[in-house]
Every structure is written in structure tokens, then in C-alpha cells.
Amino acid sequence: MAQQERAVKTRRTVLEAAATVFAEHGYTAATVADILKTAGVTKGALYFHFDSKEALARGVLEVQTDQRLPEQEIKLQEMVDVAMTVAHRMRHDSLLRAGARLSADPIGRRHYGSAWPLWVGMLAEIVSQAHQRGETLSHVVPHEVAELVVSAFNGVQLYSQLETNLEDVEYRVSVLLQHLLPSVASPAVLMRLDVAPDRGERLIREMGALVPTAV
């Protein structure tokens, strides 16, 4: 068991190191040597888990949607929560920043794919459930809304990254949702949604408080 736990820990260390390098340099300029140096592991340990730089990029993309958020009484609030928690985490989480950069690379993504389909699938399921509950306007097509949110979010985060190094990304995503949601949510639901810029931060703090502290 201890050996298995070490393997899991090493794999995560390598992934986080790869994300740090990809986020800073992009896929093309990143090197396995840089990733090894950042991870502080041997070449053998890295290649035990990932046989190429391409595999490392795929590994980073595969974990983009790993965090699970609490269910909410209003399903559309869950869509908001995904967007706002990702916006908050992007400022501190190299895995998410790397995922955004890798997914938007027009050349690299031909080799390792993109995280966008994962995000679209997650949000489409949430909006579909919201639609079935009558939370959305009648014309809403869940998959179209999911694609719109993902594409608009990526545009907003890129703008924020270039203008303020993501310092205002939560505010900008909040503004995006405030303008987008009136075309999606029913009036009664819209007035109950929390799209404040600090929504993601508050939710993650609350989630952390629910995790028992190891003794």
C-alpha cells in the first residue's frame, strides 16, 4: 500500500510540475528536462507514469474537471459555481492555467486534445437538469449554453491574463455571467442566483471547512 501511495504521489508531483512548465512556457517551448527539474524526480520515475511530453499534456488535461462541488437547490447555481470556482482557482492553480493554455494552443491540441469537451460535457449535463426542472427559459438548448459558457469563459480569462495577470479574472467572469444568465434562466430563478465575484472563493473556503483535519 505504501508503495502504491508513493506512486500516486509521484504521479501527481510530475503532473503539477508539467503544469507549471506548460503554463509558463506553453507546450512547444516546454521541455522534459524543465519538467524533471521542476518536479525533482528521476527520469525513470517520470517515464514510469508518462512516456512522452504529449502524454504529460494529456495527463494535465484529464484532471481539469476533477474537483466536485456541492449540489445546490437550484441547478443553474451549480453552473455558476463551476465557473466562479475555476476563476478563483486559476489564480493559484497551475494545473488549471496549464489546461487553459494547452486547450487554446491551435497546433499542440492536434496532438494531445483539449479540456474543452470535458467542460462542455459537465456544464451541458447541469443545464440539462436545470432545463428539466423548469429553471431555464423554454428556448434554451443545454449543449449550446454549455459551449457558449466555455468559449466565453476562455475569452474572458485570456483577456484577464494578458491585462492583469488574472488579478481581476473573478470580477470579469462575474460580469460575463451577469450578462449571459438573463438569456438562460427564468426570471424567478435569475433573481436567486449568486454570481458575486467572491462566490468561488467563499464556496472553496466552505468546502475546506468541511474536510476533517488530519491528526
Side-chain angles (χ1 to χ4, degrees):
M1 178 62 73
Q3 185 176 357
Q4 184 178 13
E5 290 176 354
R6 284 197 299 272
V8 170
K9 184 177 180 180
T10 298
R11 188 180 191 279
R12 185 69 181 189
T13 297
V14 171
L15 266 187
E16 291 177 351
T20 298
V21 176
F22 287 143
E24 183 175 353
H25 301 292
Y27 178 77
T28 302
T31 67
V32 172
D34 289 334
I35 294 170
L36 282 171
K37 182 178 180 181
T38 302
V41 301
T42 66
K43 185 180 295 186
L46 185 150
Y47 282 113
F48 176 80
H49 296 283
F50 304 97
D51 61 9
S52 65
K53 186 172 76 167
E54 184 178 306
L56 280 163
R58 286 197 298 268
V60 168
L61 294 175
E62 287 168 0
V63 300
Q64 294 296 297
T65 59
D66 274 4
Q67 179 167 305
R68 291 293 177 263
L69 300 175
E71 293 186 3
Q72 302 293 334
E73 180 183 355
I74 301 175
K75 294 303 291 186
L76 278 182
Q77 183 65 57
E78 294 180 19
M79 182 186 77
V80 171
D81 290 351
V82 169
M84 295 309 305
T85 53
V86 170
H88 176 68
R89 289 173 58 209
M90 285 194 81
R91 297 178 57 194
H92 316 284
D93 190 336
S94 59
L95 278 166
L96 285 176
R97 292 196 302 275
R101 183 162 185 172
L102 291 169
S103 296
D105 186 326
I107 298 175
R109 72 201 308 269
R110 299 175 191 169
H111 302 285
Y112 50 70
S114 167
W116 293 352
L118 293 175
W119 290 116
V120 170
M122 172 190 285
L123 295 182
E125 176 62 25
I126 293 173
V127 179
S128 179
Q129 293 180 38
H131 189 63
Q132 293 169 10
R133 293 186 180 191
E135 295 178 7
T136 70
L137 300 173
S138 60
H139 70 272
V140 163
V141 178
H143 194 267
E144 290 180 354
V145 172
E147 286 190 332
L148 177 61
V149 171
V150 171
S151 58
F153 181 99
N154 278 279
V156 165
Q157 69 84 19
L158 177 59
Y159 187 92
S160 175
Q161 183 179 38
L162 295 175
E163 291 293 319
T164 68
N165 195 31
L166 295 176
E167 288 297 322
D168 64 353
V169 66
E170 293 162 274
Y171 166 75
R172 291 189 182 279
V173 172
S174 173
V175 170
L176 166 67
L177 293 173
Q178 290 175 46
H179 287 277
L180 184 150
L181 285 168
S183 66
V184 175
S186 67
V189 168
L190 181 64
M191 64 186 297
R192 297 174 60 193
L193 295 176
D194 181 356
V195 295
D198 67 342
R199 170 65 182 179
E201 180 179 8
R202 285 187 281 113
L203 190 58
I204 289 175
R205 190 186 305 123
E206 291 168 8
M207 290 170 60
L210 295 176
V211 177
T213 302
V215 178

